[in-house]
């Protein structure tokens, strides 16, 4: 170690000199921060990123290293006779194989999916039940569709997407699904993902990172009892004649990257949760935002669904680890009378300041007519849902059995 390094580590004159360096005046720092967050700066950065992406693609094509195109159709939804579907066109990831190191292949696969080269400027044709539309993929490889689909019946419908070939190559096709919720369903469900249905430990730092990178869908843990609760909400309550109303649609919202979509979709399937569209985030810069706000993403996604189905009521489910309680309270105030129940799963101990404060605030909200409840587990959630007439008594038994088996 050099004398200068020893001096810095010992807190000598080098550190003192660094500490004595003048800070930027608050007004200048604030102005600089505003410029960095402005749409103009975001547009410059996004444009630079697009040019670099295009150059990277051209270099791979010229060198023969390009692995081909992968098209992914995310589950979409229909509202007002318009299908909202997102498709991504990217280079097929080179997934590893044959490693003897535990979890190494999973970690590499997750990283490589996230770093996959997006294919921009590619025409994508989408078709649903004979209705067709064409869009062009953006700088991050996404093609976003709003396709009119008049007279489409309620339920799930197959979606087909075809991306034009790259460098005179063959077109690439993929299929997916879009759901049209029944407007006669008693309610729709909007659910958070992280620490609401999927154990991630967002408040646990490196533990959360390890779970995200080193575990595949089959190895990820569901929050005990939550899948049984969701199935009970989907089944609903029989009418006086013994019939059941149409099942509610489920929508999942997360601040996670679209790169994790295949894993999350598989997780929902494997753990027995009702399938539904997911609202994830694109972590890269766009022409409007250099840096994304996770809370604002969730708020916009939830508001979008309230506006998409103006005649429907909602059940909102989240956790106390992030800003779900705040966002759901805002939606209940913005759309009065349309929130049937808010369930917030407690993350952490009862005596944590965050949970103690929320528990008291929930009582105040309920006195105002906003049905927000902090629950310790899925069993308590099932009891509340049954009390509100959202699920049958069998659901409580099934949730308790599933929770006890974990």
């Amino acid at each position: 170690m050099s004398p200068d390094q020893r001096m810095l580590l010992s807190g000598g004159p080098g550190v003192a000199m660094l500490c004595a360096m003048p800070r930027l005046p608050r007004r200048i720092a604030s102005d600089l921060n505003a410029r960095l967050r402005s749409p103009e700066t975001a547009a410059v950065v996004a444009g630079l990123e697009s040019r670099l992406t295009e150059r990277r693609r051209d270099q791979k094509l010229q060198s023969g290293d390009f692995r081909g195109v992968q098209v992914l159709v995310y589950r979409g939804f229909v509202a007002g006779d318009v299908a909202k579907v997102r498709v991504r066109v990217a280079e097929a990831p080179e997934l590893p194989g044959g490693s003897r190191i535990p979890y190494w292949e999973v970690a590499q696969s997750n990283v490589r999916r996230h770093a996959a080269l997006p294919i921009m400027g590619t025409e994508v044709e989408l078709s649903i039940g004979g209705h067709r539309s064409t869009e062009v993929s953006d700088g991050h490889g996404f093609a976003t569709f709003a396709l009119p689909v008049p007279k489409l019946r309620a339920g799930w419908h197959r979606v087909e997407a075809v991306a034009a070939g790259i460098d005179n190559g063959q077109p690439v096709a993929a299929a997916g699904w879009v759901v049209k919720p029944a407007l006669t369903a008693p309610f729709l469900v909007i659910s958070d993902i992280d620490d609401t249905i999927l154990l991630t430990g967002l408040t646990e730092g490196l533990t959360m990172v390890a779970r995200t990178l080193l575990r595949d869908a089959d190895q990820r843990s569901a929050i005990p009892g939550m899948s049984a609760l969701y199935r009970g909400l989907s089944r609903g309550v029989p009418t006086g004649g013994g019939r059941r109303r149409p099942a509610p649609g489920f929508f999942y919202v997360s601040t996670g990257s679209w790169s994790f979509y295949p894993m999350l979709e598989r997780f929902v399937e494997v753990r027995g949760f009702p399938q539904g569209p997911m609202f994830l985030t694109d972590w890269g810069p766009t022409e409007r935002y250099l840096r994304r706000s996770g809370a604002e993403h969730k708020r916009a996604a939830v508001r979008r669904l309230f506006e998409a189905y103006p005649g429907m009521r909602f059940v909102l489910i989240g956790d106390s680890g992030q800003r779900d309680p705040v966002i759901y309270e805002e939606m209940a105030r913005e759309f009065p009378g349309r929130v049937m129940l808010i369930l917030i799963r407690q993350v952490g101990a009862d005596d944590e300041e965050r949970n103690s404060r929320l528990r008291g605030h929930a009582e105040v909200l309920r006195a105002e007519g906003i049905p927000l409840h902090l629950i310790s587990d899925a069993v308590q959630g099932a009891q509340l849902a049954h009390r509100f007439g959202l699920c049958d008594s069998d659901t409580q038994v099934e949730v308790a059995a599933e929770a006890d088996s974990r």
Side-chain angles (χ1 to χ4, degrees):
M1 182 180 296
S2 69
D4 290 339
Q5 289 174 319
R6 284 194 294 270
M7 182 179 294
L8 285 172
L9 290 175
S10 64
V15 171
M17 183 173 62
L18 288 173
C19 294
M21 291 180 65
R23 294 182 178 180
L24 288 172
R26 181 175 299 178
R27 182 179 60 81
I28 296 177
S30 176
D31 182 62
L32 179 60
N33 184 56
R35 288 179 180 274
L36 289 174
R37 294 168 60 91
S38 70
E40 292 79 12
T41 301
V44 171
V45 175
L48 176 61
E49 183 191 47
S50 295
R51 288 192 293 273
L52 292 174
T53 298
E54 194 170 9
R55 180 181 301 176
R56 182 181 164 200
R57 182 197 65 186
D58 292 343
Q59 289 174 343
K60 299 194 80 168
L61 286 170
Q62 293 171 6
S63 65
D65 292 333
F66 188 73
R67 291 186 297 273
V69 174
Q70 179 186 65
V71 178
L72 181 59
V73 182
Y74 304 106
R75 288 179 185 266
F77 64 99
V78 177
D81 287 333
V82 177
K84 308 296 181 64
V85 184
R86 173 174 275 208
V87 176
R88 192 173 193 228
V89 186
E91 183 184 17
E94 183 182 8
L95 301 182
S99 174
R100 297 182 179 180
I101 304 176
Y103 306 120
W104 179 246
E105 289 185 16
V106 174
Q108 281 191 306
S109 297
N110 287 333
V111 171
R112 289 179 181 181
R113 287 192 184 101
H114 184 73
L117 174 68
I119 307 301
M120 59 184 295
T122 298
E123 281 196 358
V124 181
E125 183 182 70
L126 189 80
S127 62
I128 304 172
H131 305 285
R132 300 177 183 277
S133 180
T134 301
E135 296 289 345
V136 177
S137 59
D138 64 16
H140 292 184
F142 293 106
T144 304
F145 292 84
L147 172 61
V149 285
K151 300 181 179 179
L152 199 68
R153 60 176 175 79
W156 286 97
H157 299 268
R158 183 179 172 86
V159 177
E160 295 182 346
V162 179
I166 305 298
D167 196 30
N168 298 320
Q170 293 295 315
V172 180
W177 298 93
V178 63
V179 65
K180 181 177 181 179
L183 299 184
T184 53
F187 53 86
L188 300 177
V189 178
I190 301 176
S191 171
D192 177 50
I193 294 178
D194 306 315
D195 289 322
T196 298
I197 66 171
L198 170 67
L199 178 62
T200 56
L202 286 177
T203 61
E204 299 177 28
L206 290 177
T207 301
M208 181 272 291
V209 175
R211 287 195 187 109
T212 301
L213 291 180
L214 303 181
R215 297 289 192 274
D216 211 344
D218 296 350
Q219 302 165 324
R220 299 299 296 271
S221 298
I223 302 299
M226 292 302 280
S227 63
L229 172 58
Y230 282 39
R231 290 194 299 272
L233 291 172
S234 179
R235 186 170 59 237
V237 178
T239 63
R243 302 182 63 182
R244 295 183 186 270
R245 298 177 67 182
F250 283 73
F251 301 87
Y252 298 94
V253 181
S254 172
T255 57
S257 165
W258 283 105
S259 302
F260 297 122
Y261 178 87
M263 184 276 291
L264 293 174
E265 185 182 41
R266 174 66 177 162
F267 169 84
V268 166
E269 178 185 359
V270 169
R271 301 306 178 196
F273 288 91
Q275 290 284 356
M278 293 184 183
F279 295 79
L280 307 179
T281 54
D282 181 11
W283 287 354
T286 70
E287 292 184 355
R288 294 182 59 196
Y289 302 104
L290 184 62
R291 183 165 59 91
R292 299 298 182 92
S293 165
E296 186 52 42
H297 158 71
K298 281 189 175 181
R299 183 179 292 108
V302 175
R303 181 182 291 113
R304 180 184 178 189
L305 289 169
F306 272 79
E307 293 173 347
Y309 302 104
M312 300 296 294
R313 300 178 73 189
F314 289 82
V315 172
L316 309 178
I317 308 177
D319 66 85
S320 66
Q322 295 183 294
R323 294 186 60 80
D324 295 344
V326 174
I327 295 169
Y328 291 168
E329 177 189 343
E330 291 174 357
M331 293 302 105
R333 295 187 185 283
E334 187 173 340
F335 300 94
R338 295 183 58 197
V339 176
M340 298 182 71
L341 179 63
I342 302 173
L343 295 177
I344 300 297
R345 174 185 171 267
Q346 178 177 300
V347 175
D350 289 346
D351 57 357
E352 286 187 14
E353 181 182 354
R354 173 186 59 220
N355 292 325
S356 298
R357 187 168 58 247
L358 178 57
R359 192 175 298 107
H361 185 58
E363 292 181 5
V364 174
L365 292 180
R366 290 196 296 272
E368 295 180 25
I370 297 177
L372 189 150
H373 295 262
L374 181 65
I375 59 174
S376 58
D377 54 26
V379 173
Q380 188 179 358
Q383 293 170 350
L384 281 165
H386 182 255
R387 189 200 309 170
F388 276 74
L390 307 179
C391 65
D392 56 24
S393 57
D394 290 343
T395 300
Q396 297 184 80
V397 177
E398 294 166 4
V399 169
E402 182 181 288
D404 288 342
S405 67
R406 299 299 174 88

